[in-house]
Amino acid sequence: MPTLVSPHAEAPLAGGPPSPLAPPGPDAPSKRREFLRMLGLGAGAATLGPLLGACGSGNAQTTSEALRAQLLRDEAFWTSVQNMFVLNPRKTFMNIGTAGSMPALALDLFAEENRKKAAESGNGYSNLLDLRQKVAPSFGVDASELAFSANTSSGMCHAILGLDWQRGDVVVTTNHEHGGGDTPLAIAVDRFGIEVSRIAMPVGNNQTAATYVNLFDERVRALKAQGKRVRAMMWSSPTYKTGTMLPIAELMGVVKTHGLISIVDGAHLPGMMDYHYGNLGMDFMSGAGHKWQCGPGSTGILIMRNRIRSSNPLPLPKWYPVHTSTYRAVDRSIVPPESYDIAASVTSCGSVHTPMFMALAKACEMWDSIGRKKIETYDLTLASYLKEKIAERWGVDALYSPKDDPKLLSALTSFNPFPNKTDVMNAQKATAFVARMQSDYPQGFIVRSADFPVIGAASNHYAIRVSTHLWHDARDIDLLVDAMWDLSRKV
Ligand SMILES: Cc1ncc(COP(=O)(O)O)c(C=O)c1O
């Protein structure tokens, strides 16, 4: 495999063994672009271009043009990155929020290690310390704070069901959470008698990081004033519904003011955002290995605070492993954290399939080589470009995702594509829209819909949600927006 060097990359991409899936060099066109060219669609907006004129406005062109120029600045480099994946070129995969795709490097290693394991009849009785030591620095924690879980949902179960809840404890969360976090919370309600207080989430561009600080702080204070014992805050960063990045650093301020346990459903964070979890200081962050980080299915990353740092000087919460074959009774208020590998207790549960986690570590290594900050910037720029184009065509009010406060940005974009605004409450129309984005356009766009309550609305809204990641480019967004505009006039 050739070594990729971008003028803007933090480090060159690491080399690897030659592979039949090895990508062409940096100047090679992307496989999808080649495929579309074969169909006579390579010039991008040619077939849908005239629709652009029909949408009017043009006022926000400066912002979107600047974003587009930024995306194209390093085009050859990103084309090389796109070519490191084996994605079907007949489709444009824009639902990474549900599932990523392993790069060839990780697939090759996975295949090789599977074969080795089978040849040697290998077992998986391990807490994978060597792999955790390799991966943990990329997430700003040490190995005893990074556990490999089965996925986000499994990490949320480990975190929530391991805490020493007392009857009457209150968890403050939102009404836009995923079942991955809500399910263990519901079990804790029935099993331990905890209570859940939900904040109604704002949607759209008219919100800032301060909105969330105020919402959580006011709710905690109001509950305390009623004599309630607030024990924890749990929230998604970002939510899977609107892609709103609840601002972790700011919410940790509320957590520390009130002395709470902090649990972040960060399903979309690994591989999308370059976060340093030691500096953020939450007690738990459960992320997926198989979404934006593009590891194998059934892999996840659970960050478990095991140090008192200035980012969070609160005592470490009492927590017990619930799914493990490694248990030692430890009082973390006495035992030095270095001597207790809390993450080993999550990672080690009977015999694990080691090649999966080796492949996840390989994907992490690839991300480090490209530069996690570079990926974050690219993903968010794609999303901002998409949001600007949506605002130009449909109007900014069509967006459920905020676009102007940088602290609230993620690479998930949700919006209402329907000219008749109330059609967004029609589940069938949203389903048809998603299906036809794939079937009616040669690019075969894979997007999804997500439904959620909106303050003041009679029923849930079914937004269209688009994920933008390192295998996309500005042309994909142009084509997508043209197709969505075209389809929105037909559905
Ligand atoms: C916010 C959020 N939490 C949890 C999950 C569940 O993820 P997993 O399949 O990794 O358990 C998802 C999946 O999309 C999600 O978006």
Side-chain angles (χ1 to χ4, degrees):
M1 191 195 79
T3 297
L4 302 185
V5 185
S6 153
H8 308 290
E10 277 78 15
L13 269 170
S19 141
L21 297 170
D27 293 326
S30 85
K31 282 177 269 180
R32 190 170 59 256
R33 231 177 285 146
E34 275 297 275
F35 171 73
L36 295 173
R37 201 169 291 151
M38 266 160 45
L39 294 182
L41 294 162
T47 51
L48 295 164
L51 290 164
L52 256 172
C55 74
S57 165
N59 291 344
Q61 282 297 307
T62 313
T63 310
S64 66
E65 277 177 7
L67 288 164
R68 193 174 200 282
Q70 196 179 324
L71 289 168
L72 294 178
R73 199 165 63 110
D74 227 359
E75 194 183 11
F77 175 78
W78 288 110
T79 298
S80 304
V81 172
Q82 287 161 17
N83 287 338
M84 298 181 82
F85 293 85
V86 301
L87 295 158
N88 178 351
R90 289 169 179 77
K91 297 179 185 172
T92 306
F93 293 95
M94 299 186 131
N95 188 13
I96 298 102
T98 300
S101 166
M102 274 196 269
L105 275 175
L107 281 168
D108 289 347
L109 182 86
F110 193 27
E112 195 185 310
E113 291 298 332
N114 267 326
R115 200 156 266 285
K116 253 196 236 168
K117 190 172 160 76
E120 298 300 329
S121 186
N123 70 63
Y125 291 104
S126 168
N127 64 30
L128 305 177
L129 180 61
D130 54 335
L131 289 179
R132 290 188 289 124
Q133 277 166 337
K134 269 192 203 156
V135 170
S138 311
F139 294 89
V141 290
D142 54 56
S144 75
E145 299 177 294
L146 186 141
F148 291 130
S149 60
N151 47 40
T152 318
S153 309
S154 117
M156 292 301 279
C157 287
H158 282 291
I160 294 169
L161 298 176
L163 288 163
D164 71 326
W165 298 110
Q166 309 297 317
R167 179 162 294 281
D169 283 348
V170 181
V171 179
V172 175
T173 186
T174 82
N175 67 342
H176 280 190
E177 297 307 311
H178 189 277
D182 268 347
T183 304
L185 215 49
I187 295 170
V189 167
D190 289 348
R191 183 165 178 200
F192 303 111
I194 69 164
E195 295 169 23
V196 176
S197 176
R198 290 190 193 273
I199 290 165
M201 284 283 290
V203 299
N205 190 41
N206 191 18
Q207 48 177 319
T208 65
T211 309
Y212 290 96
V213 172
N214 293 337
L215 283 170
F216 275 87
D217 189 57
E218 281 165 15
R219 178 62 60 90
V220 174
R221 285 179 198 280
L223 287 162
K224 281 179 162 177
Q226 291 163 30
K228 298 282 187 186
R229 189 174 61 247
V230 181
R231 267 301 287 295
M233 275 170 42
M234 175 190 122
W235 69 89
S236 292
S237 293
T239 74
Y240 81 102
K241 296 174 183 294
T242 65
T244 305
M245 184 66 77
L246 269 63
I248 298 179
E250 283 73 9
L251 288 180
M252 284 304 296
V254 180
V255 160
K256 285 179 271 184
T257 302
H258 297 286
L260 305 177
I261 297 167
S262 41
I263 307 162
V264 178
D265 178 341
H268 305 274
L269 293 180
M272 179 206 283
M273 304 301 286
D274 181 28
Y275 281 174
H276 187 292
Y277 297 98
N279 288 350
L280 287 169
M282 76 283 284
D283 289 306
F284 301 96
M285 187 293 293
S286 180
H290 62 96
K291 296 181 191 285
W292 304 79
Q293 186 55 71
C294 295
S298 300
T299 61
I301 287 174
L302 176 64
I303 305 291
M304 315 172 76
R305 184 168 69 102
N306 197 33
R307 292 277 181 285
I308 307 281
R309 298 185 175 91
S310 57
S311 58
N312 188 354
L314 295 172
L316 300 170
K318 207 178 238 188
W319 178 89
Y320 298 91
V322 288
H323 180 268
T324 189
S325 42
T326 302
Y327 180 59
R328 170 158 86 90
V330 170
D331 181 346
R332 289 201 293 165
S333 64
I334 301 166
V335 166
E338 308 76 62
S339 71
Y340 177 45
D341 184 352
I342 190 171
S345 71
V346 166
T347 305
S348 164
C349 186
S351 184
V352 297
H353 192 57
T354 47
M356 286 190 329
F357 296 104
M358 291 174 175
L360 173 62
K362 185 48 109 183
C364 288
E365 188 187 308
M366 176 176 151
W367 257 238
D368 293 341
S369 300
I370 297 171
R372 287 181 181 272
K373 195 69 192 170
K374 187 176 171 80
I375 295 172
E376 174 189 308
T377 304
Y378 188 69
D379 282 6
L380 296 187
T381 307
L382 284 163
S384 289
Y385 180 50
L386 171 59
K387 286 171 190 165
E388 289 300 332
K389 291 198 71 147
I390 289 172
E392 287 168 15
R393 296 269 181 111
W394 281 266
V396 71
D397 291 345
L399 283 170
Y400 293 103
S401 316
K403 78 174 179 70
D404 288 339
D405 185 337
K407 289 185 175 158
L408 302 186
L409 298 181
S410 84
L412 290 168
T413 300
S414 291
F415 83 113
N416 174 358
F418 301 110
N420 176 4
K421 294 294 171 204
T422 56
D423 281 350
V424 81
M425 288 184 264
N426 183 328
Q428 282 88 359
K429 287 209 177 200
T431 304
F433 194 94
V434 169
R436 289 183 62 181
M437 282 300 294
Q438 182 180 349
S439 63
D440 290 14
Y441 299 91
Q443 296 80 15
F445 294 104
I446 312 285
V447 296
R448 66 162 282 181
S449 73
D451 74 302
F452 45 86
V454 171
I455 296 169
S459 62
N460 275 9
H461 285 205
Y462 291 79
I464 299 304
R465 191 190 80 178
V466 180
S467 305
T468 45
H469 205 12
L470 72 188
W471 57 69
H472 299 131
D473 53 36
R475 278 177 214 85
D476 291 323
I477 306 293
D478 296 337
L479 290 165
L480 171 85
V481 171
D482 286 344
M484 293 196 301
W485 178 259
D486 179 55
L487 185 57
S488 68
R489 312 292 113 179
K490 293 174 179 164
V491 166

